[in-house]
Amino acid sequence: EFSKEELPHSWSLNQLDGSVVYQQAILISLGISAALLGLGLFTPVATLVCWFLLISIHIRNPMVLIGGDTLMRMVLFWSMFIPLGRVWSLDAIWKARRKKASSENPSSVQADIEASESNYLVSFGTGCLILQLCFMYWFAGIAKLNEHWFDGTAMEYVLRLEIYVHPFGSWLLNFPL
């Protein structure tokens, strides 16, 4: 297998079994964990599972990855250190309902819920995630400090790459300005 030859010290769940059913099971598991993460249900576990399965898939075939794939892995990594399920999630709704049901004075619980929802989600992971995005934009900007971006030929170069361009992009090549 390509990934074992190119990355001999890497490990991936996808390398355990090459059958189609096994690979489909990994993709379905990733889809389920991504849906749970999107809904905010079992958020810490869903984030960890998404990150782990995504890494396994990326290690399986690193030749098809682009920068956005790496960024997605990094965002999932830093998200493990952010309390994502604390607000705007099913986890937060269920936690509020449990508090309300267990309390004798529901009005004080409602005030506590409203106060906690107004708090910012600040953590070490939040700072690292913001820095990750800042570095990404900063280094992308530095990479564009070259003559092709200054003289305007960079977009023409990109639009000539058949792998990225659609018919509209090909049509734009007729108008060099």
Side-chain angles (χ1 to χ4, degrees):
E1 242 183 59
F2 175 77
S3 61
K4 288 180 184 177
E5 293 173 11
E6 291 298 313
L7 303 167
H9 301 293
S10 65
W11 185 85
S12 170
L13 283 177
N14 297 72
Q15 294 172 342
L16 296 178
D17 186 356
S19 71
V20 173
V21 172
Y22 182 76
Q23 300 303 316
Q24 287 174 339
I26 289 176
L27 284 174
I28 290 169
S29 300
L30 179 59
I32 291 169
S33 62
L36 290 174
L37 181 59
L39 293 170
L41 188 59
F42 310 113
T43 309
V45 174
T47 306
L48 177 67
V49 170
C50 274
W51 177 72
F52 184 73
L53 292 176
L54 191 67
I55 285 177
S56 288
I57 291 171
H58 285 180
I59 288 174
R60 169 76 190 251
N61 193 358
M63 297 301 290
V64 299
L65 301 180
I66 59 172
D69 296 318
T70 304
L71 182 63
M72 184 169 36
R73 276 196 322 264
M74 294 306 299
V75 167
L76 279 171
F77 175 77
W78 292 120
S79 293
M80 289 189 292
F81 302 103
I82 300 172
L84 294 177
R86 205 167 90 192
V87 294
W88 293 353
S89 68
L90 292 177
D91 287 343
I93 292 170
W94 288 353
K95 182 178 178 182
R97 285 186 180 170
R98 280 187 301 229
K99 264 187 173 180
K100 187 175 182 180
S102 66
S103 174
E104 294 177 4
N105 186 357
S107 61
S108 68
V109 172
Q110 185 63 28
D112 291 342
I113 293 167
E114 290 171 1
S116 70
E117 287 179 357
S118 66
N119 292 340
Y120 293 103
L121 294 180
V122 178
S123 68
F124 173 75
T126 308
C128 291
L129 178 61
I130 291 170
L131 281 175
Q132 180 76 47
L133 295 173
C134 289
F135 287 150
M136 187 257 320
Y137 281 111
W138 187 47
F139 287 115
I142 290 173
K144 290 176 176 66
L145 293 177
N146 60 52
E147 65 181 80
H148 297 293
W149 283 96
F150 288 126
D151 66 13
T153 59
M155 285 308 299
E156 179 184 357
Y157 174 74
V158 171
L159 290 175
R160 291 194 184 280
L161 296 172
E162 292 180 15
I163 192 169
Y164 297 120
V165 76
H166 294 283
F168 179 70
S170 296
W171 178 75
L172 283 176
L173 285 173
N174 296 323
F175 308 97
L177 291 178

